[in-house]
């Protein structure tokens, strides 16, 4: 089922060289399309302080069932895909948030998505298991790309990206309905 035209129009208004701020509205609309206000889900924007050496904020949305997290969506500008250091920072930030919230998730799996513009990387944290995809270990003598660009392997505005996103949402809704 294709995205609603008003949602696509929201993404179309994003400028060619955007910051993550320009994606807040489109992703907010997307999440409220999938988790309507009349449901038991709440979409909560979060602005978390970045690492100590940074003056940056980490922009995320958390989808809660009543008051418990079931989905995390991290926003970064598309330009962050270009650099290994910014991909690594995004990967570390979302893994940190997953670690913080996994114990509060009422489902057997906490899902998370890193969005760099419209490119998506999907994460999941099954209870009592490590986060997937696995973290790439640092090699002391090699310049290791710990968060390869290929991890952000689909676009939310393309059919495959929409289908993958909807599959995650369907798993979340089915799991929540069974609680």
């Amino acid at each position: 089922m294709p995205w609603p035209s008003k949602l696509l129009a929201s993404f179309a208004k994003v400028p060619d060289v955007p910051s993550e701020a320009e994606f807040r509205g489109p992703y907010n609309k997307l999440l409220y399309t999938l988790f309507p206000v009349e449901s038991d889900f709440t979409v909560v924007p979060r602005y978390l302080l970045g690492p100590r050496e940074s003056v940056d904020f980490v922009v995320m949305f958390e989808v809660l069932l009543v008051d418990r997290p079931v989905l995390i969506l991290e926003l970064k500008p598309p330009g962050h895909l270009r650099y290994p250091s910014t991909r690594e920072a995004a990967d570390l930030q979302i893994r940190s948030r997953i670690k913080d919230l996994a114990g509060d998730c009422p489902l057997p799996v906490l899902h998370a998505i890193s969005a760099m513009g419209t490119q998506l990387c999907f994460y999941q944290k099954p209870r009592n298991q490590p986060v997937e995809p696995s973290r790439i270990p640092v090699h002391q003598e090699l310049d290791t790309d710990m968060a390869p660009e290929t991890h952000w392997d689909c676009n939310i505005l393309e059919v495959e990206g929409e289908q993958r996103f909807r599959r995650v949402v369907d798993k979340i809704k089915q799991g929540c309905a069974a609680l």
Side-chain angles (χ1 to χ4, degrees):
M1 178 164 102
W3 294 122
S5 61
K6 291 189 185 282
L7 176 61
L8 294 173
S10 174
F11 276 97
K13 291 178 185 174
V14 173
D16 290 338
V17 184
S19 70
E20 75 260 357
E22 277 89 21
F23 285 98
R24 290 179 196 159
Y27 277 105
N28 191 47
K29 187 179 276 285
L30 169 75
L31 291 171
Y32 272 114
T33 298
L34 298 169
F35 299 98
V37 294
E38 63 273 359
S39 71
D40 289 328
F41 297 100
T42 304
V43 177
V44 180
R46 300 275 190 219
Y47 306 97
L48 308 171
L49 283 174
R52 285 187 195 149
E53 63 276 0
S54 170
V55 293
D56 198 16
F57 283 90
V58 179
V59 179
M60 294 189 181
F61 287 97
E62 293 169 8
V63 178
L64 309 177
L65 175 66
V66 184
D67 61 350
R68 300 181 70 196
V70 293
L71 176 66
I72 303 165
L73 176 72
E74 171 192 55
L75 296 182
K76 296 291 179 184
H80 281 206
L81 269 176
R82 181 176 176 195
Y83 301 106
S85 62
T86 52
R87 292 192 309 269
E88 181 180 341
D91 181 70
L92 289 171
Q93 289 164 352
I94 199 161
R95 287 175 187 279
S96 176
R97 195 63 181 156
I98 290 168
K99 182 178 179 181
D100 289 346
L101 298 181
D104 295 331
C105 181
L107 302 174
V109 176
L110 175 61
H111 291 274
I113 300 167
S114 173
M116 291 200 186
T118 58
Q119 290 299 121
L120 307 178
C121 177
F122 291 84
Y123 294 80
Q124 59 179 7
K125 169 66 174 90
R127 195 172 290 136
N128 301 319
Q129 294 181 33
V131 173
E132 300 165 12
S134 298
R135 187 135 162 67
I136 296 174
V138 176
H139 188 282
Q140 297 299 331
E141 297 177 24
L142 298 176
D143 193 17
T144 307
D145 187 352
M146 296 172 51
E149 188 173 350
T150 55
H151 282 193
W152 286 263
D153 62 354
C154 67
N155 187 313
I156 190 65
L157 300 178
E158 295 173 1
V159 172
E160 180 189 350
E162 177 188 356
Q163 289 174 346
R164 281 183 70 187
F165 203 104
R166 286 185 185 274
R167 279 196 301 271
V168 167
V169 170
D170 288 344
K171 285 180 192 174
I172 291 168
K173 287 180 174 181
Q174 289 169 8
C176 290
L179 293 176

